[in-house]
Amino acid sequence: MKQKVKKLLAPLVAGSLIFSLAACSGKSSTSNSESSNEPVTITFSFDQGIGKPAQQLIDEYNASQDKVKVETNILPQDANVVHDDFVNKLASGDTSVDVMAVDVVYVSEFAAAGWLEDLTPHFDESTQDKYLPGTIDAATYDGKLVSFPWFTNASALFYRKDVLEQLGVQPPTTYQGWMDLSEKAKGVNGVEYVADFQAAQSEALVCNWVEFVANNGGEVLDSSGKPVVNSENNIEATKIMADLVKNYAPEGITTYTEPESEQVFLDGKALFLRDWSGFWSQANREGSKVKDLVGVATLPIGPNGDEPHSTLGGLNLVINKAIDEDQKEAAVDFIKYLSGEKAQKEMNLIAAQPPVLQSVYTDPEVLEVNPFYEEFYGIIMNGKARPMSPKYAKVSDAIQRNIHSALTGEVSVEKALDKTQSELEELSK
């Protein structure tokens, strides 16, 4: 395993001893490329949930060239554990990890702390334009490209195609349009509920709520980062969400994250489900009651919405700012490989991860495996990141607690949003 040594010995130590120790450490006072034919070794850290496909890409990268060797540091599949591990390393100046796969919501936090290398010089504007706009936005902080998207995800509206065909209607584009189908759709081919989504007090609730807000012309933070939670548009959007919870969704929806909501739809009981793109393959597996009966549409908009927006997920690649220049150069090359067309396509085919490179969505082989990408491409092109805040974890917690209390009827929508506004204002000080 490589050892990274910033200072080998004090200036008074004999030069021969410095040379000896440098050779043992695998680092030298001159660049590796100048002093040795040995590859520069870098360490890539990610969670075990993406372990197998990530390892396959790493092996292929290592075999494709002899200048860089990538080793791995694999963490448990727990978002909090991964976040805390990265924070501890970066905050202490630890250089044992060079490249990290970071959840998109933590990019701002790490960048604001000064821990991330600026990638802007390595990816010009024409290169960035080849990627999904929302993923580039989520990779940027304070005008700098401080990370690069690896793979993404976005939500979509999965609906019962057979039911709408029997009713002779097209998928509604508004929340009200779906509500208006309630009485007609109930009882048709097993449908009991119109709406199905994720409303438990969790990160899933944040993703859902910010979509209701964005799709009614609202924002959580304005362009300057100022909280604007209790706006009229946001109040209206949250009331629509609460109405769906109370009158059009399963009784237990305020306890639902993805698995619970998915099961209701897979059992054929819901007219539509808001979920992540990966649900498509799950819905069409053998044994699913809705196999071959599922359509895909954009999320609905509210009365003040202009166009639908889905929440973006996924992982971004960042470079530890504390590492040496040789490591940084190698890390950039590795990131360019992972974000290139070959690796982007492969990550989709072996792991069903939606690519960030636009061209992959029209690849014939990808479309054969994911035919719904023809519709999904337009959906994900309009995807938006969650609120970009250096204190995202606390922002998320405030949203979860207060919006959930409104959806369960503990407090009014207005009080819930006023409380959220107050908490976010305090965080922005």
Side-chain angles (χ1 to χ4, degrees), residues 248-323:
Y248 299 92
E251 185 176 349
I253 196 167
T254 53
T255 67
Y256 287 5
T257 56
E258 284 84 359
E260 297 83 8
S261 61
E262 288 166 356
Q263 193 57 55
V264 171
F265 191 83
L266 290 170
D267 287 342
K269 296 179 179 180
L271 183 59
F272 78 71
L273 167 68
R274 175 270 178 212
D275 204 356
W276 302 100
S277 63
F279 179 72
W280 169 264
S281 59
Q282 186 178 350
N284 287 288
R285 289 176 188 157
E286 291 299 329
S288 167
K289 293 182 180 180
V290 295
K291 184 178 183 293
D292 300 325
L293 303 177
V294 181
V296 183
T298 60
L299 297 179
I301 61 173
N304 287 295
D306 294 323
E307 57 182 355
H309 298 284
S310 296
T311 299
L312 291 176
L315 294 180
N316 282 14
L317 302 166
V318 302
I319 295 177
N320 182 354
K321 193 174 182 178
I323 63 176

Side-chain angles (χ1 to χ4, degrees), residues 109-144:
E109 175 189 347
F110 292 2
W115 296 334
L116 306 183
E117 183 71 7
D118 181 10
L119 302 181
T120 311
H122 307 290
F123 297 91
D124 60 26
E125 191 172 331
S126 63
T127 299
Q128 294 181 39
D129 287 345
K130 297 177 182 178
Y131 293 81
L132 297 170
T135 67
I136 295 296
D137 289 344
T140 304
Y141 180 79
D142 197 23
K144 296 179 181 179

Side-chain angles (χ1 to χ4, degrees), residues 61-72:
Y61 173 73
N62 284 339
S64 71
Q65 45 75 50
D66 58 6
K67 302 295 184 185
V68 181
K69 180 183 179 183
V70 179
E71 297 179 346
T72 61

